[in-house]
Amino acid sequence: MADIEQTARNGQDGRSEPYDLDAYLDRIGWKGGRRADLATLRGVHLAHALSLPFENLDPVRGAAPSLAPADLMAKLVHGRRGGYCYEHNTLLRLALEALGFRVTPLAGRVVVGAETPESRPRTHAMLRVEVAGEPQPWLADVGFGAVGALLLPVPLVTGTEFEGAGRRHRLVRLPHEGPLELWELQAHAARGGWSGQYAFTQEPFAPADFEVFNWFVGTHPRSPFTRRPYLQRTTADRHLALDGARFTETLADGTVTERTLTDESEARRLVAQEFGIEVPGGLALLG
């Protein structure tokens, strides 16, 4: 318990080196403004979502990834790697705060495939961002590894549909017995129909909370992220996913193609070419 508490206080390796905003913006290809306004929020969010892949290769190797700023910079910015929600949204939070935004980390329950939101623990991280001059805060999230993920932030309001970068989303409030309102992000499928992605309240969470969540999700034998490789990447016209040996490509019009990989060398080449990830040595993608 003492080790977990120390990790929660100081980061996984105890370091707290400065965050390099210039290097981050260069990595995601953002050449726009640096004011804490809506245009910057939207631009940086989209650039991040289209540049950095989602992957869980560290948990598959048996280790929770570090959330220390220096380690995030080394892995996602300077290295040929991606990460999962805690890494992506910590990296985005650091950037937005450096740009002058007020950011509150939130935690949600993934509801894709769930009977009820309460049947899942709060294992997903997202961000509540306040923008000067805007009447409501915004939901930002670059770490949801699914085809229904946000590419652009959306205002925290109900009763409105939002279309951004080819995807449609809306926020609804769910019946809830707790003292805080329960929100659900829903995505619209290309061929029709709304589906819930995750549910959350606006209760603020601290970095120490995510250190504990990260440790559990990244090391527990029952976590889906410790069992097999799970990679995602979104481009301007398609979404790619590798779930174990199954490679799926989803086009903007909803067309889906799948194939099963059977050769380790082919799998490593595909991950390098399609996801832009250098697979760590010693890790077998196909088991």
PDB file of all heavy atoms in Angstrom, residues 230-268:
ATOM      1  N   TYR A 230      -4.201  -4.212 -28.161  1.00  0.00           N
ATOM      2  CA  TYR A 230      -5.385  -3.478 -28.625  1.00  0.00           C
ATOM      3  C   TYR A 230      -4.907  -2.121 -29.102  1.00  0.00           C
ATOM      4  O   TYR A 230      -4.495  -1.282 -28.311  1.00  0.00           O
ATOM      5  CB  TYR A 230      -6.391  -3.341 -27.480  1.00  0.00           C
ATOM      6  CG  TYR A 230      -7.718  -2.748 -27.890  1.00  0.00           C
ATOM      7  CD1 TYR A 230      -8.561  -3.438 -28.747  1.00  0.00           C
ATOM      8  CD2 TYR A 230      -8.122  -1.505 -27.416  1.00  0.00           C
ATOM      9  CE1 TYR A 230      -9.783  -2.894 -29.129  1.00  0.00           C
ATOM     10  CE2 TYR A 230      -9.338  -0.957 -27.794  1.00  0.00           C
ATOM     11  CZ  TYR A 230     -10.161  -1.660 -28.643  1.00  0.00           C
ATOM     12  OH  TYR A 230     -11.364  -1.121 -29.025  1.00  0.00           O
ATOM     13  N   LEU A 231      -4.963  -1.919 -30.430  1.00  0.00           N
ATOM     14  CA  LEU A 231      -4.451  -0.700 -31.038  1.00  0.00           C
ATOM     15  C   LEU A 231      -5.538  -0.039 -31.865  1.00  0.00           C
ATOM     16  O   LEU A 231      -6.368  -0.719 -32.484  1.00  0.00           O
ATOM     17  CB  LEU A 231      -3.241  -0.995 -31.936  1.00  0.00           C
ATOM     18  CG  LEU A 231      -1.938  -1.422 -31.268  1.00  0.00           C
ATOM     19  CD1 LEU A 231      -1.979  -2.877 -30.822  1.00  0.00           C
ATOM     20  CD2 LEU A 231      -0.762  -1.240 -32.220  1.00  0.00           C
ATOM     21  N   GLN A 232      -5.529   1.292 -31.873  1.00  0.00           N
ATOM     22  CA  GLN A 232      -6.482   2.069 -32.657  1.00  0.00           C
ATOM     23  C   GLN A 232      -5.744   3.235 -33.309  1.00  0.00           C
ATOM     24  O   GLN A 232      -4.819   3.794 -32.718  1.00  0.00           O
ATOM     25  CB  GLN A 232      -7.585   2.641 -31.764  1.00  0.00           C
ATOM     26  CG  GLN A 232      -8.345   1.621 -30.953  1.00  0.00           C
ATOM     27  CD  GLN A 232      -9.580   1.112 -31.648  1.00  0.00           C
ATOM     28  OE1 GLN A 232     -10.187   1.815 -32.446  1.00  0.00           O
ATOM     29  NE2 GLN A 232      -9.977  -0.108 -31.347  1.00  0.00           N
ATOM     30  N   ARG A 233      -6.205   3.594 -34.501  1.00  0.00           N
ATOM     31  CA  ARG A 233      -5.686   4.808 -35.118  1.00  0.00           C
ATOM     32  C   ARG A 233      -6.766   5.397 -36.014  1.00  0.00           C
ATOM     33  O   ARG A 233      -7.439   4.665 -36.750  1.00  0.00           O
ATOM     34  CB  ARG A 233      -4.430   4.525 -35.952  1.00  0.00           C
ATOM     35  CG  ARG A 233      -3.820   5.809 -36.515  1.00  0.00           C
ATOM     36  CD  ARG A 233      -2.681   5.526 -37.453  1.00  0.00           C
ATOM     37  NE  ARG A 233      -2.163   6.762 -38.033  1.00  0.00           N
ATOM     38  CZ  ARG A 233      -1.354   6.818 -39.095  1.00  0.00           C
ATOM     39  NH1 ARG A 233      -0.969   5.692 -39.679  1.00  0.00           N
ATOM     40  NH2 ARG A 233      -0.949   7.971 -39.566  1.00  0.00           N
ATOM     41  N   THR A 234      -6.922   6.712 -35.951  1.00  0.00           N
ATOM     42  CA  THR A 234      -7.899   7.410 -36.783  1.00  0.00           C
ATOM     43  C   THR A 234      -7.172   8.329 -37.736  1.00  0.00           C
ATOM     44  O   THR A 234      -6.264   9.060 -37.342  1.00  0.00           O
ATOM     45  CB  THR A 234      -8.860   8.238 -35.916  1.00  0.00           C
ATOM     46  OG1 THR A 234      -9.566   7.362 -35.025  1.00  0.00           O
ATOM     47  CG2 THR A 234      -9.873   8.978 -36.777  1.00  0.00           C
ATOM     48  N   THR A 235      -7.567   8.271 -38.999  1.00  0.00           N
ATOM     49  CA  THR A 235      -7.061   9.201 -40.003  1.00  0.00           C
ATOM     50  C   THR A 235      -8.236  10.018 -40.521  1.00  0.00           C
ATOM     51  O   THR A 235      -9.361   9.883 -40.047  1.00  0.00           O
ATOM     52  CB  THR A 235      -6.381   8.457 -41.164  1.00  0.00           C
ATOM     53  OG1 THR A 235      -7.372   7.725 -41.911  1.00  0.00           O
ATOM     54  CG2 THR A 235      -5.338   7.462 -40.640  1.00  0.00           C
ATOM     55  N   ALA A 236      -7.976  10.855 -41.502  1.00  0.00           N
ATOM     56  CA  ALA A 236      -9.036  11.720 -42.027  1.00  0.00           C
ATOM     57  C   ALA A 236     -10.156  10.929 -42.682  1.00  0.00           C
ATOM     58  O   ALA A 236     -11.297  11.408 -42.748  1.00  0.00           O
ATOM     59  CB  ALA A 236      -8.439  12.721 -43.016  1.00  0.00           C
ATOM     60  N   ASP A 237      -9.883   9.718 -43.164  1.00  0.00           N
ATOM     61  CA  ASP A 237     -10.908   8.988 -43.913  1.00  0.00           C
ATOM     62  C   ASP A 237     -11.153   7.556 -43.450  1.00  0.00           C
ATOM     63  O   ASP A 237     -11.962   6.846 -44.038  1.00  0.00           O
ATOM     64  CB  ASP A 237     -10.551   8.967 -45.408  1.00  0.00           C
ATOM     65  CG  ASP A 237      -9.181   8.345 -45.676  1.00  0.00           C
ATOM     66  OD1 ASP A 237      -8.497   7.958 -44.704  1.00  0.00           O
ATOM     67  OD2 ASP A 237      -8.795   8.259 -46.852  1.00  0.00           O
ATOM     68  N   ARG A 238     -10.502   7.110 -42.370  1.00  0.00           N
ATOM     69  CA  ARG A 238     -10.731   5.745 -41.922  1.00  0.00           C
ATOM     70  C   ARG A 238     -10.292   5.571 -40.467  1.00  0.00           C
ATOM     71  O   ARG A 238      -9.566   6.400 -39.917  1.00  0.00           O
ATOM     72  CB  ARG A 238      -9.991   4.738 -42.812  1.00  0.00           C
ATOM     73  CG  ARG A 238      -8.491   4.942 -42.849  1.00  0.00           C
ATOM     74  CD  ARG A 238      -7.826   3.986 -43.815  1.00  0.00           C
ATOM     75  NE  ARG A 238      -6.376   4.135 -43.793  1.00  0.00           N
ATOM     76  CZ  ARG A 238      -5.516   3.151 -43.956  1.00  0.00           C
ATOM     77  NH1 ARG A 238      -5.954   1.920 -44.184  1.00  0.00           N
ATOM     78  NH2 ARG A 238      -4.217   3.365 -43.906  1.00  0.00           N
ATOM     79  N   HIS A 239     -10.787   4.482 -39.891  1.00  0.00           N
ATOM     80  CA  HIS A 239     -10.425   4.116 -38.520  1.00  0.00           C
ATOM     81  C   HIS A 239      -9.874   2.705 -38.554  1.00  0.00           C
ATOM     82  O   HIS A 239     -10.483   1.796 -39.133  1.00  0.00           O
ATOM     83  CB  HIS A 239     -11.644   4.183 -37.605  1.00  0.00           C
ATOM     84  CG  HIS A 239     -11.347   3.806 -36.190  1.00  0.00           C
ATOM     85  ND1 HIS A 239     -10.817   4.688 -35.273  1.00  0.00           N
ATOM     86  CD2 HIS A 239     -11.495   2.627 -35.523  1.00  0.00           C
ATOM     87  CE1 HIS A 239     -10.664   4.097 -34.111  1.00  0.00           C
ATOM     88  NE2 HIS A 239     -11.064   2.845 -34.230  1.00  0.00           N
ATOM     89  N   LEU A 240      -8.723   2.504 -37.905  1.00  0.00           N
ATOM     90  CA  LEU A 240      -8.051   1.214 -37.900  1.00  0.00           C
ATOM     91  C   LEU A 240      -8.042   0.653 -36.491  1.00  0.00           C
ATOM     92  O   LEU A 240      -7.883   1.396 -35.513  1.00  0.00           O
ATOM     93  CB  LEU A 240      -6.613   1.349 -38.402  1.00  0.00           C
ATOM     94  CG  LEU A 240      -6.416   2.053 -39.744  1.00  0.00           C
ATOM     95  CD1 LEU A 240      -4.934   2.204 -40.033  1.00  0.00           C
ATOM     96  CD2 LEU A 240      -7.119   1.292 -40.855  1.00  0.00           C
ATOM     97  N   ALA A 241      -8.193  -0.660 -36.375  1.00  0.00           N
ATOM     98  CA  ALA A 241      -8.165  -1.304 -35.069  1.00  0.00           C
ATOM     99  C   ALA A 241      -7.505  -2.661 -35.184  1.00  0.00           C
ATOM    100  O   ALA A 241      -7.755  -3.413 -36.140  1.00  0.00           O
ATOM    101  CB  ALA A 241      -9.577  -1.459 -34.510  1.00  0.00           C
ATOM    102  N   LEU A 242      -6.658  -2.972 -34.228  1.00  0.00           N
ATOM    103  CA  LEU A 242      -6.076  -4.301 -34.102  1.00  0.00           C
ATOM    104  C   LEU A 242      -6.433  -4.823 -32.720  1.00  0.00           C
ATOM    105  O   LEU A 242      -5.998  -4.270 -31.708  1.00  0.00           O
ATOM    106  CB  LEU A 242      -4.559  -4.261 -34.279  1.00  0.00           C
ATOM    107  CG  LEU A 242      -3.856  -5.625 -34.178  1.00  0.00           C
ATOM    108  CD1 LEU A 242      -4.289  -6.539 -35.329  1.00  0.00           C
ATOM    109  CD2 LEU A 242      -2.340  -5.464 -34.175  1.00  0.00           C
ATOM    110  N   ASP A 243      -7.255  -5.842 -32.672  1.00  0.00           N
ATOM    111  CA  ASP A 243      -7.708  -6.449 -31.419  1.00  0.00           C
ATOM    112  C   ASP A 243      -7.202  -7.885 -31.409  1.00  0.00           C
ATOM    113  O   ASP A 243      -7.779  -8.762 -32.046  1.00  0.00           O
ATOM    114  CB  ASP A 243      -9.230  -6.403 -31.341  1.00  0.00           C
ATOM    115  CG  ASP A 243      -9.756  -6.903 -30.005  1.00  0.00           C
ATOM    116  OD1 ASP A 243      -8.957  -7.394 -29.193  1.00  0.00           O
ATOM    117  OD2 ASP A 243     -10.978  -6.812 -29.772  1.00  0.00           O
ATOM    118  N   GLY A 244      -6.107  -8.124 -30.706  1.00  0.00           N
ATOM    119  CA  GLY A 244      -5.474  -9.430 -30.782  1.00  0.00           C
ATOM    120  C   GLY A 244      -4.930  -9.646 -32.177  1.00  0.00           C
ATOM    121  O   GLY A 244      -4.085  -8.888 -32.659  1.00  0.00           O
ATOM    122  N   ALA A 245      -5.445 -10.636 -32.867  1.00  0.00           N
ATOM    123  CA  ALA A 245      -5.013 -10.919 -34.235  1.00  0.00           C
ATOM    124  C   ALA A 245      -5.985 -10.375 -35.272  1.00  0.00           C
ATOM    125  O   ALA A 245      -5.732 -10.522 -36.478  1.00  0.00           O
ATOM    126  CB  ALA A 245      -4.852 -12.431 -34.429  1.00  0.00           C
ATOM    127  N   ARG A 246      -7.089  -9.748 -34.851  1.00  0.00           N
ATOM    128  CA  ARG A 246      -8.103  -9.270 -35.788  1.00  0.00           C
ATOM    129  C   ARG A 246      -7.860  -7.812 -36.147  1.00  0.00           C
ATOM    130  O   ARG A 246      -7.882  -6.928 -35.289  1.00  0.00           O
ATOM    131  CB  ARG A 246      -9.503  -9.437 -35.198  1.00  0.00           C
ATOM    132  CG  ARG A 246     -10.617  -9.126 -36.219  1.00  0.00           C
ATOM    133  CD  ARG A 246     -11.986  -9.424 -35.674  1.00  0.00           C
ATOM    134  NE  ARG A 246     -12.401  -8.447 -34.682  1.00  0.00           N
ATOM    135  CZ  ARG A 246     -12.515  -8.677 -33.397  1.00  0.00           C
ATOM    136  NH1 ARG A 246     -12.228  -9.865 -32.886  1.00  0.00           N
ATOM    137  NH2 ARG A 246     -12.923  -7.727 -32.560  1.00  0.00           N
ATOM    138  N   PHE A 247      -7.638  -7.574 -37.433  1.00  0.00           N
ATOM    139  CA  PHE A 247      -7.404  -6.227 -37.939  1.00  0.00           C
ATOM    140  C   PHE A 247      -8.665  -5.750 -38.646  1.00  0.00           C
ATOM    141  O   PHE A 247      -9.187  -6.417 -39.547  1.00  0.00           O
ATOM    142  CB  PHE A 247      -6.223  -6.215 -38.915  1.00  0.00           C
ATOM    143  CG  PHE A 247      -5.985  -4.881 -39.562  1.00  0.00           C
ATOM    144  CD1 PHE A 247      -5.632  -3.780 -38.799  1.00  0.00           C
ATOM    145  CD2 PHE A 247      -6.114  -4.724 -40.937  1.00  0.00           C
ATOM    146  CE1 PHE A 247      -5.398  -2.547 -39.382  1.00  0.00           C
ATOM    147  CE2 PHE A 247      -5.890  -3.501 -41.538  1.00  0.00           C
ATOM    148  CZ  PHE A 247      -5.531  -2.410 -40.758  1.00  0.00           C
ATOM    149  N   THR A 248      -9.173  -4.569 -38.228  1.00  0.00           N
ATOM    150  CA  THR A 248     -10.421  -4.026 -38.769  1.00  0.00           C
ATOM    151  C   THR A 248     -10.178  -2.635 -39.319  1.00  0.00           C
ATOM    152  O   THR A 248      -9.529  -1.807 -38.676  1.00  0.00           O
ATOM    153  CB  THR A 248     -11.505  -3.956 -37.679  1.00  0.00           C
ATOM    154  OG1 THR A 248     -11.694  -5.250 -37.109  1.00  0.00           O
ATOM    155  CG2 THR A 248     -12.824  -3.460 -38.256  1.00  0.00           C
ATOM    156  N   GLU A 249     -10.734  -2.386 -40.497  1.00  0.00           N
ATOM    157  CA  GLU A 249     -10.672  -1.057 -41.112  1.00  0.00           C
ATOM    158  C   GLU A 249     -12.097  -0.578 -41.337  1.00  0.00           C
ATOM    159  O   GLU A 249     -12.908  -1.258 -41.969  1.00  0.00           O
ATOM    160  CB  GLU A 249      -9.924  -1.101 -42.439  1.00  0.00           C
ATOM    161  CG  GLU A 249      -9.839   0.237 -43.141  1.00  0.00           C
ATOM    162  CD  GLU A 249      -9.128   0.142 -44.484  1.00  0.00           C
ATOM    163  OE1 GLU A 249      -9.509  -0.740 -45.286  1.00  0.00           O
ATOM    164  OE2 GLU A 249      -8.197   0.930 -44.726  1.00  0.00           O
ATOM    165  N   THR A 250     -12.433   0.591 -40.796  1.00  0.00           N
ATOM    166  CA  THR A 250     -13.761   1.172 -40.940  1.00  0.00           C
ATOM    167  C   THR A 250     -13.642   2.478 -41.715  1.00  0.00           C
ATOM    168  O   THR A 250     -12.954   3.401 -41.263  1.00  0.00           O
ATOM    169  CB  THR A 250     -14.398   1.444 -39.563  1.00  0.00           C
ATOM    170  OG1 THR A 250     -14.428   0.237 -38.801  1.00  0.00           O
ATOM    171  CG2 THR A 250     -15.818   1.975 -39.732  1.00  0.00           C
ATOM    172  N   LEU A 251     -14.307   2.560 -42.847  1.00  0.00           N
ATOM    173  CA  LEU A 251     -14.265   3.762 -43.663  1.00  0.00           C
ATOM    174  C   LEU A 251     -15.318   4.763 -43.183  1.00  0.00           C
ATOM    175  O   LEU A 251     -16.217   4.434 -42.406  1.00  0.00           O
ATOM    176  CB  LEU A 251     -14.493   3.409 -45.131  1.00  0.00           C
ATOM    177  CG  LEU A 251     -13.500   2.416 -45.743  1.00  0.00           C
ATOM    178  CD1 LEU A 251     -13.817   2.195 -47.220  1.00  0.00           C
ATOM    179  CD2 LEU A 251     -12.063   2.882 -45.566  1.00  0.00           C
ATOM    180  N   ALA A 252     -15.213   5.981 -43.686  1.00  0.00           N
ATOM    181  CA  ALA A 252     -16.116   7.045 -43.252  1.00  0.00           C
ATOM    182  C   ALA A 252     -17.571   6.732 -43.572  1.00  0.00           C
ATOM    183  O   ALA A 252     -18.477   7.187 -42.870  1.00  0.00           O
ATOM    184  CB  ALA A 252     -15.705   8.366 -43.884  1.00  0.00           C
ATOM    185  N   ASP A 253     -17.831   5.957 -44.636  1.00  0.00           N
ATOM    186  CA  ASP A 253     -19.204   5.630 -45.004  1.00  0.00           C
ATOM    187  C   ASP A 253     -19.750   4.429 -44.234  1.00  0.00           C
ATOM    188  O   ASP A 253     -20.868   3.981 -44.498  1.00  0.00           O
ATOM    189  CB  ASP A 253     -19.312   5.381 -46.513  1.00  0.00           C
ATOM    190  CG  ASP A 253     -18.503   4.177 -46.978  1.00  0.00           C
ATOM    191  OD1 ASP A 253     -17.867   3.501 -46.132  1.00  0.00           O
ATOM    192  OD2 ASP A 253     -18.490   3.910 -48.199  1.00  0.00           O
ATOM    193  N   GLY A 254     -18.962   3.893 -43.303  1.00  0.00           N
ATOM    194  CA  GLY A 254     -19.409   2.767 -42.497  1.00  0.00           C
ATOM    195  C   GLY A 254     -18.983   1.412 -43.013  1.00  0.00           C
ATOM    196  O   GLY A 254     -19.214   0.399 -42.352  1.00  0.00           O
ATOM    197  N   THR A 255     -18.348   1.359 -44.168  1.00  0.00           N
ATOM    198  CA  THR A 255     -17.869   0.094 -44.709  1.00  0.00           C
ATOM    199  C   THR A 255     -16.791  -0.488 -43.801  1.00  0.00           C
ATOM    200  O   THR A 255     -15.838   0.207 -43.434  1.00  0.00           O
ATOM    201  CB  THR A 255     -17.299   0.284 -46.124  1.00  0.00           C
ATOM    202  OG1 THR A 255     -18.323   0.820 -46.978  1.00  0.00           O
ATOM    203  CG2 THR A 255     -16.808  -1.040 -46.695  1.00  0.00           C
ATOM    204  N   VAL A 256     -16.948  -1.756 -43.449  1.00  0.00           N
ATOM    205  CA  VAL A 256     -16.017  -2.414 -42.539  1.00  0.00           C
ATOM    206  C   VAL A 256     -15.400  -3.628 -43.222  1.00  0.00           C
ATOM    207  O   VAL A 256     -16.102  -4.445 -43.829  1.00  0.00           O
ATOM    208  CB  VAL A 256     -16.728  -2.869 -41.249  1.00  0.00           C
ATOM    209  CG1 VAL A 256     -15.756  -3.616 -40.336  1.00  0.00           C
ATOM    210  CG2 VAL A 256     -17.329  -1.675 -40.521  1.00  0.00           C
ATOM    211  N   THR A 257     -14.089  -3.743 -43.150  1.00  0.00           N
ATOM    212  CA  THR A 257     -13.392  -4.931 -43.624  1.00  0.00           C
ATOM    213  C   THR A 257     -12.555  -5.488 -42.485  1.00  0.00           C
ATOM    214  O   THR A 257     -11.979  -4.734 -41.696  1.00  0.00           O
ATOM    215  CB  THR A 257     -12.487  -4.622 -44.832  1.00  0.00           C
ATOM    216  OG1 THR A 257     -11.524  -3.616 -44.459  1.00  0.00           O
ATOM    217  CG2 THR A 257     -13.301  -4.109 -46.007  1.00  0.00           C
ATOM    218  N   GLU A 258     -12.500  -6.813 -42.399  1.00  0.00           N
ATOM    219  CA  GLU A 258     -11.745  -7.462 -41.337  1.00  0.00           C
ATOM    220  C   GLU A 258     -10.889  -8.582 -41.910  1.00  0.00           C
ATOM    221  O   GLU A 258     -11.243  -9.199 -42.921  1.00  0.00           O
ATOM    222  CB  GLU A 258     -12.680  -8.059 -40.279  1.00  0.00           C
ATOM    223  CG  GLU A 258     -13.445  -7.059 -39.458  1.00  0.00           C
ATOM    224  CD  GLU A 258     -14.229  -7.728 -38.334  1.00  0.00           C
ATOM    225  OE1 GLU A 258     -14.174  -8.978 -38.238  1.00  0.00           O
ATOM    226  OE2 GLU A 258     -14.868  -7.013 -37.553  1.00  0.00           O
ATOM    227  N   ARG A 259      -9.769  -8.815 -41.252  1.00  0.00           N
ATOM    228  CA  ARG A 259      -8.972  -9.987 -41.576  1.00  0.00           C
ATOM    229  C   ARG A 259      -8.201 -10.408 -40.325  1.00  0.00           C
ATOM    230  O   ARG A 259      -7.957  -9.593 -39.429  1.00  0.00           O
ATOM    231  CB  ARG A 259      -8.022  -9.737 -42.736  1.00  0.00           C
ATOM    232  CG  ARG A 259      -6.958  -8.674 -42.534  1.00  0.00           C
ATOM    233  CD  ARG A 259      -6.230  -8.435 -43.851  1.00  0.00           C
ATOM    234  NE  ARG A 259      -5.273  -7.349 -43.798  1.00  0.00           N
ATOM    235  CZ  ARG A 259      -3.957  -7.530 -43.638  1.00  0.00           C
ATOM    236  NH1 ARG A 259      -3.467  -8.750 -43.505  1.00  0.00           N
ATOM    237  NH2 ARG A 259      -3.151  -6.478 -43.607  1.00  0.00           N
ATOM    238  N   THR A 260      -7.836 -11.677 -40.300  1.00  0.00           N
ATOM    239  CA  THR A 260      -7.114 -12.223 -39.166  1.00  0.00           C
ATOM    240  C   THR A 260      -5.657 -12.412 -39.533  1.00  0.00           C
ATOM    241  O   THR A 260      -5.334 -13.022 -40.554  1.00  0.00           O
ATOM    242  CB  THR A 260      -7.723 -13.568 -38.721  1.00  0.00           C
ATOM    243  OG1 THR A 260      -9.093 -13.361 -38.357  1.00  0.00           O
ATOM    244  CG2 THR A 260      -6.967 -14.136 -37.537  1.00  0.00           C
ATOM    245  N   LEU A 261      -4.789 -11.871 -38.696  1.00  0.00           N
ATOM    246  CA  LEU A 261      -3.345 -11.996 -38.922  1.00  0.00           C
ATOM    247  C   LEU A 261      -2.861 -13.316 -38.339  1.00  0.00           C
ATOM    248  O   LEU A 261      -3.251 -13.712 -37.238  1.00  0.00           O
ATOM    249  CB  LEU A 261      -2.606 -10.836 -38.260  1.00  0.00           C
ATOM    250  CG  LEU A 261      -3.078  -9.420 -38.619  1.00  0.00           C
ATOM    251  CD1 LEU A 261      -2.250  -8.388 -37.855  1.00  0.00           C
ATOM    252  CD2 LEU A 261      -2.976  -9.186 -40.115  1.00  0.00           C
ATOM    253  N   THR A 262      -2.002 -13.989 -39.080  1.00  0.00           N
ATOM    254  CA  THR A 262      -1.494 -15.287 -38.631  1.00  0.00           C
ATOM    255  C   THR A 262       0.016 -15.335 -38.544  1.00  0.00           C
ATOM    256  O   THR A 262       0.575 -16.292 -38.001  1.00  0.00           O
ATOM    257  CB  THR A 262      -1.970 -16.413 -39.579  1.00  0.00           C
ATOM    258  OG1 THR A 262      -1.509 -16.129 -40.909  1.00  0.00           O
ATOM    259  CG2 THR A 262      -3.496 -16.511 -39.583  1.00  0.00           C
ATOM    260  N   ASP A 263       0.693 -14.318 -39.044  1.00  0.00           N
ATOM    261  CA  ASP A 263       2.147 -14.317 -39.094  1.00  0.00           C
ATOM    262  C   ASP A 263       2.685 -13.160 -38.250  1.00  0.00           C
ATOM    263  O   ASP A 263       2.284 -12.008 -38.443  1.00  0.00           O
ATOM    264  CB  ASP A 263       2.624 -14.198 -40.545  1.00  0.00           C
ATOM    265  CG  ASP A 263       4.135 -14.161 -40.657  1.00  0.00           C
ATOM    266  OD1 ASP A 263       4.761 -15.228 -40.568  1.00  0.00           O
ATOM    267  OD2 ASP A 263       4.684 -13.049 -40.820  1.00  0.00           O
ATOM    268  N   GLU A 264       3.589 -13.437 -37.329  1.00  0.00           N
ATOM    269  CA  GLU A 264       4.132 -12.424 -36.435  1.00  0.00           C
ATOM    270  C   GLU A 264       4.857 -11.319 -37.192  1.00  0.00           C
ATOM    271  O   GLU A 264       4.707 -10.127 -36.873  1.00  0.00           O
ATOM    272  CB  GLU A 264       5.076 -13.064 -35.419  1.00  0.00           C
ATOM    273  CG  GLU A 264       5.694 -12.089 -34.437  1.00  0.00           C
ATOM    274  CD  GLU A 264       4.710 -11.509 -33.443  1.00  0.00           C
ATOM    275  OE1 GLU A 264       3.659 -12.149 -33.206  1.00  0.00           O
ATOM    276  OE2 GLU A 264       4.983 -10.415 -32.904  1.00  0.00           O
ATOM    277  N   SER A 265       5.623 -11.686 -38.196  1.00  0.00           N
ATOM    278  CA  SER A 265       6.356 -10.674 -38.971  1.00  0.00           C
ATOM    279  C   SER A 265       5.391  -9.744 -39.691  1.00  0.00           C
ATOM    280  O   SER A 265       5.590  -8.527 -39.737  1.00  0.00           O
ATOM    281  CB  SER A 265       7.289 -11.346 -39.977  1.00  0.00           C
ATOM    282  OG  SER A 265       8.286 -12.100 -39.318  1.00  0.00           O
ATOM    283  N   GLU A 266       4.313 -10.311 -40.248  1.00  0.00           N
ATOM    284  CA  GLU A 266       3.296  -9.492 -40.910  1.00  0.00           C
ATOM    285  C   GLU A 266       2.643  -8.548 -39.916  1.00  0.00           C
ATOM    286  O   GLU A 266       2.404  -7.368 -40.212  1.00  0.00           O
ATOM    287  CB  GLU A 266       2.236 -10.378 -41.553  1.00  0.00           C
ATOM    288  CG  GLU A 266       1.093  -9.594 -42.202  1.00  0.00           C
ATOM    289  CD  GLU A 266      -0.121 -10.445 -42.524  1.00  0.00           C
ATOM    290  OE1 GLU A 266      -0.198 -11.581 -42.026  1.00  0.00           O
ATOM    291  OE2 GLU A 266      -0.991  -9.947 -43.260  1.00  0.00           O
ATOM    292  N   ALA A 267       2.335  -9.054 -38.714  1.00  0.00           N
ATOM    293  CA  ALA A 267       1.695  -8.230 -37.693  1.00  0.00           C
ATOM    294  C   ALA A 267       2.583  -7.057 -37.298  1.00  0.00           C
ATOM    295  O   ALA A 267       2.114  -5.921 -37.157  1.00  0.00           O
ATOM    296  CB  ALA A 267       1.360  -9.080 -36.471  1.00  0.00           C
ATOM    297  N   ARG A 268       3.872  -7.284 -37.123  1.00  0.00           N
ATOM    298  CA  ARG A 268       4.782  -6.213 -36.731  1.00  0.00           C
ATOM    299  C   ARG A 268       4.915  -5.178 -37.840  1.00  0.00           C
ATOM    300  O   ARG A 268       4.986  -3.975 -37.580  1.00  0.00           O
ATOM    301  CB  ARG A 268       6.144  -6.795 -36.356  1.00  0.00           C
ATOM    302  CG  ARG A 268       6.087  -7.689 -35.130  1.00  0.00           C
ATOM    303  CD  ARG A 268       7.436  -8.300 -34.809  1.00  0.00           C
ATOM    304  NE  ARG A 268       8.292  -7.342 -34.133  1.00  0.00           N
ATOM    305  CZ  ARG A 268       8.345  -7.186 -32.818  1.00  0.00           C
ATOM    306  NH1 ARG A 268       7.578  -7.915 -32.025  1.00  0.00           N
ATOM    307  NH2 ARG A 268       9.155  -6.304 -32.271  1.00  0.00           N
TER     308      ARG A 268
END
